[in-house]
Amino acid sequence: MELGGRMLWALLSGPGRRGGTRGWAFSSWQPHLPLAGSLNATELVSHWTAVFEKRGIPEAQASSEYIVAHVLGAKTFQSLRPVLWTQPLTSWQLQCIQELSSRRLQRMPVQYILGEWDFQGLSLKMAPPVFIPRPETEELVEWVLEEVAQSPCTVGAQGGPLILEVGCGSGAIALSLLSQLPQSRVIAVDKGEAAICLTQENAQRLRLLDRIRIVPLDVTLEGSWAHLLPWGPMDLVVSNPPYIFHQDMEQLAPEIRRSIFLEVDPRHPELVGSWLQSQPNLSLDLVAVRRDFCGRPRFLHIRRSGRQRGCPADAWPGPQPARVPG
């Protein structure tokens, strides 16, 4: 959980290359298909499902359905007009489906193959090497929305919370919160250039650039928090970090005064809860653990102990922080 303690303390209590397809070497081998005019969409889904299953590709049917639907101009196979299920495909459509399916045979994720994916009702561009948001992450967004609705202290001077997302990736979490909290603002940080570019592009596509500041920043570096101080205290910190154990958690300071929402590995909640109990000087409580749709403990809500202070006034948009070197 690479969230530098001093960075969090300062932010919550301080003053106001695009990815390519590297890694997937596409094979020239392609299963034989009948000529155009003799296959319809339903038959093609069955064909590629069988091929994927034979090659051990996970979610074989879903993969083939998404690819066929994409070439035919739909997001899902079920959303296709019924006439398209039985209408023979053209040679161009067959060629496109065969090309995309060959990428799936090389274990390229469907989201990268299609170049986009829906998250919380938003259509987001996806490109490697940026991580693809998991379905469980939508539950993290829903939990944050519930807490904001129930807690007036998360409403800042601008009528909505100022949110920090650590590790923005494709921008899925940040942009979902912005779209559903019209008065909110987000500072989104990531150390990867590809992630910064992808979040920027998705924010532009969704017309949300005016309420988000996207900052290239590695929060594990000493003093990195100083680059975010001009934005003022944050009301919420949200993160879906890589599921890696890290001793930086021990640096969390007692001055954290808002909420932290994390998506974690199912093994982490018990460890984090025990560790926080052994560190009473931090004044941090694990106030809730929530399970994902598979019943696994997946999300944490950590909050400062004791009475909460009033909501700070914070300026926006303020100066754009300088690009962090390195």
Side-chain angles (χ1 to χ4, degrees):
M1 303 178 192
E2 299 186 359
L3 298 175
R6 278 174 286 184
M7 182 277 293
L8 287 173
W9 166 75
L11 291 174
L12 294 167
S13 60
R17 296 168 307 253
R18 304 184 186 277
T21 54
R22 287 182 303 175
W24 288 278
F26 301 142
S27 170
S28 59
W29 175 87
Q30 295 178 333
H32 172 72
L33 284 175
L35 297 176
S38 58
L39 273 183
N40 59 44
T42 302
E43 293 167 337
L44 205 59
V45 166
S46 298
H47 170 84
W48 282 108
T49 297
V51 172
F52 291 157
E53 288 176 344
K54 184 176 181 179
R55 294 287 295 273
I57 302 299
E59 300 178 341
Q61 181 169 339
S63 296
S64 60
E65 287 181 348
Y66 276 121
I67 289 172
V68 172
H70 177 73
V71 172
L72 296 181
K75 288 186 177 295
T76 66
F77 192 76
Q78 291 70 26
S79 66
L80 280 171
R81 291 185 293 118
V83 67
L84 295 179
W85 295 344
T86 57
Q87 179 176 299
L89 277 73
T90 67
S91 57
W92 178 86
Q93 291 170 331
L94 281 175
Q95 182 180 352
C96 287
I97 292 170
Q98 183 150 314
E99 179 182 343
L100 298 182
S101 297
S102 69
R103 299 182 185 183
R104 186 70 185 110
L105 287 171
Q106 297 297 320
R107 299 302 181 110
M108 188 181 206
V110 170
Q111 294 89 339
Y112 291 159
I113 295 172
L114 306 184
E116 61 182 13
W117 200 248
D118 282 2
F119 183 91
Q120 283 281 316
L122 303 179
S123 181
L124 301 174
K125 180 177 179 179
M126 295 290 156
V130 179
F131 289 159
I132 299 163
R134 295 166 56 87
E136 296 92 335
T137 308
E138 298 197 41
E139 298 181 67
L140 177 64
V141 172
E142 291 168 3
W143 191 11
V144 174
L145 293 172
E146 290 174 14
E147 291 292 327
V148 171
Q150 296 172 8
S151 176
C153 199
T154 59
V155 178
Q158 303 296 320
L162 177 58
I163 303 168
L164 169 67
E165 185 188 6
V166 179
C168 57
S170 64
I173 294 176
L175 299 176
S176 295
L177 293 173
L178 285 174
S179 67
Q180 298 186 62
L181 297 172
Q183 303 302 315
S184 65
R185 292 146 298 132
V186 168
I187 307 293
V189 305
D190 202 294
K191 67 179 182 179
E193 180 182 354
I196 293 294
C197 292
L198 191 57
T199 295
Q200 179 86 15
E201 183 169 350
N202 280 326
Q204 185 172 4
R205 284 160 54 114
L206 297 170
R207 300 181 181 179
L208 292 171
L209 275 176
D210 60 327
R211 291 194 288 125
I212 187 172
R213 294 296 177 266
I214 305 165
V215 183
L217 186 68
D218 184 348
V219 299
T220 65
L221 297 179
E222 182 73 22
S224 60
W225 50 267
H227 297 277
L228 299 179
L229 286 178
W231 303 113
M234 307 291 171
D235 298 307
L236 298 172
V237 177
V238 185
S239 182
N240 177 15
Y243 301 150
I244 300 174
F245 291 90
H246 200 285
Q247 296 306 313
D248 281 356
M249 187 72 176
E250 297 178 2
Q251 300 177 16
L252 284 175
E255 288 80 2
I256 297 176
R257 66 180 183 183
R258 288 287 179 262
S259 300
I260 300 176
F261 294 88
L262 297 175
E263 179 180 340
V264 298
D265 184 278
R267 296 169 296 175
H268 284 151
E270 183 177 354
L271 295 172
V272 172
S274 298
W275 182 80
L276 287 177
Q277 289 181 2
S278 70
Q279 304 289 330
N281 61 305
L282 293 182
S283 301
L284 294 176
D285 292 331
L286 177 58
V287 296
V289 176
R290 201 172 268 205
R291 296 180 181 273
D292 61 23
F293 54 72
C294 293
R296 296 167 296 194
R298 179 70 68 178
F299 312 109
L300 303 183
H301 182 186
I302 300 172
R303 188 168 57 200
R304 184 187 176 193
S305 307
R307 185 174 58 186
Q308 300 294 305
R309 301 179 184 179
C311 298
D314 41 61
W316 187 268
Q320 177 71 39
R323 182 180 177 85
V324 180

